[in-house]
Amino acid sequence: MDTDPASDIMRVWVRLLRIEQRVRKTVEAKLKNAGLPALVWYDVLLELERAGDAGLRQRDIQQHTLLERYNVSRLVDRLRDAGLVKRKPAADDGRGSVVHITSQGRALRAAMWPVYSQAVKGAFPAQLSEQDHGRLLSLLERL
Amino acid sequence: MDTDPASDIMRVWVRLLRIEQRVRKTVEAKLKNAGLPALVWYDVLLELERAGDAGLRQRDIQQHTLLERYNVSRLVDRLRDAGLVKRKPAADDGRGSVVHITSQGRALRAAMWPVYSQAVKGAFPAQLSEQDHGRLLSLLERL
DNA sequence: ATGATTTTGTTGCAATTACAACAATAGATA
DNA sequence: TATCTATTGTTGTAATTGCAACAAAATCAT
């Protein structure tokens, strides 16, 4: 077993971790500063918007966002309480429910986007070339 | 302002975010499964071990780990309660304290390393070449 | 069909993290 | 010096997340 702290993959991981923390932190701060909810709300609203009229099972939200089951359950509660989504019993599965975004939900997601987008851009001050972005993306895809 | 959801930098960010979530999740799960504490404990213990006899101010822990001030405060409390670190008043600064790792702390960090390391490797199944690792790392360094 | 297993979702409680206010010292400025 | 501001750290309380147990329905195996 490789126990070298400086191994390639660990270097990549640690670097990736720090970048994620730094960017997430600034994004969350700017969202809060703009009076908007946290990033995870955006994530869920976006997935629901993409899902369209069919909506999404909570299970699907879980898979898309990598949230835990119980966190999805409670987050959907909060989104519903805020009028951003609706829960309906699943027609073909007596256990679960289907979640649909409301027009208020769509409006909030749209309002969050420019703040989110700008915050991310601001947190990556280095201007990589289009080619570098492509290279980086294709390397990340392989992880 | 660019509001294109598919812009290069946002693609990179979203991909990076998902990778971080996936890997962190498996790492935390494997640590827990091995009866070991969470990743953030490892992070702090590692920084303290690197700092050596001089120890670290809590402020420095904060900067290295990107934790919030109050989280450092309470995490150091827990580490101290677990016998992994010691807090001493800072000689040259009446406000703060200096944190030192104990031998138990070093032992725990050492015990966590192989589990951590293997978990990360396992979470990156794709075998990138040494050259690709280098390319990826240098691109990440620029973010 | 029936019983066991898996999947889906919820909930009480514990642990952690976030927010806001605070105290104490250090450092800067008049 | 005296005062103002910034830095460092703590703590009460609220919000969120994690853990464990649970319920209900679907799926599988016999």
Side-chain angles (χ1 to χ4, degrees), chain A residues 32 57-59 69-70 73-74 95-96:
Chain A
K32 181 180 306 297
R57 295 291 299 269
Q58 295 192 188
R59 164 200 54 190
R69 177 188 308 260
Y70 47 80
S73 184
R74 282 168 167 150
R95 292 166 297 186

Side-chain angles (χ1 to χ4, degrees), chain B residues 34-45:
Chain B
L36 294 168
L39 197 46
V40 66
W41 284 42
Y42 183 90
D43 265 359
V44 172
L45 291 175

Side-chain angles (χ1 to χ4, degrees), chain A:
Chain A
M1 178 177 58
D2 180 8
T3 55
D4 176 9
S7 75
D8 284 344
I9 194 62
M10 285 303 287
R11 280 176 185 274
V12 167
W13 163 243
V14 169
R15 184 69 195 161
L16 201 127
L17 181 59
R18 291 288 181 248
I19 293 171
E20 193 275 344
Q21 287 173 322
R22 190 194 73 217
V23 176
R24 168 183 290 274
K25 200 170 172 176
T26 72
V27 167
E28 295 285 13
K30 299 217 171 185
L31 286 172
K32 181 180 306 297
N33 197 258
L36 295 168
L39 195 48
V40 66
W41 284 41
Y42 183 90
D43 264 1
V44 171
L45 291 175
L46 179 60
E47 293 301 335
L48 289 173
E49 200 165 343
R50 282 181 173 154
D53 293 339
L56 276 184
R57 295 291 299 269
Q58 295 192 188
R59 164 200 54 190
D60 299 324
I61 297 175
Q62 187 187 341
Q63 288 169 356
H64 280 103
T65 61
L66 304 185
L67 291 168
E68 297 296 331
R69 177 188 308 260
Y70 47 80
N71 284 335
V72 172
S73 184
R74 282 168 167 150
L75 180 50
V76 169
D77 284 349
R78 286 177 225 135
L79 293 170
R80 172 179 41 68
D81 293 348
L84 305 172
V85 307
K86 282 184 183 170
R87 243 202 215 106
K88 293 182 181 176
D92 58 336
D93 188 335
R95 292 166 297 186
S97 48
V98 182
V99 184
H100 297 266
I101 193 168
T102 66
S103 56
Q104 289 177 60
R106 271 185 287 268
L108 179 62
R109 194 208 63 78
M112 291 178 79
W113 166 251
V115 178
Y116 180 19
S117 164
Q118 285 301 104
V120 170
K121 289 188 178 67
F124 289 113
Q127 292 294 340
L128 268 61
S129 70
E130 195 170 335
Q131 194 176 31
D132 281 339
H133 277 127
R135 286 194 189 110
L136 179 51
L137 203 55
S138 85
L139 284 166
L140 289 176
E141 300 284 356
R142 294 167 57 196
L143 293 182

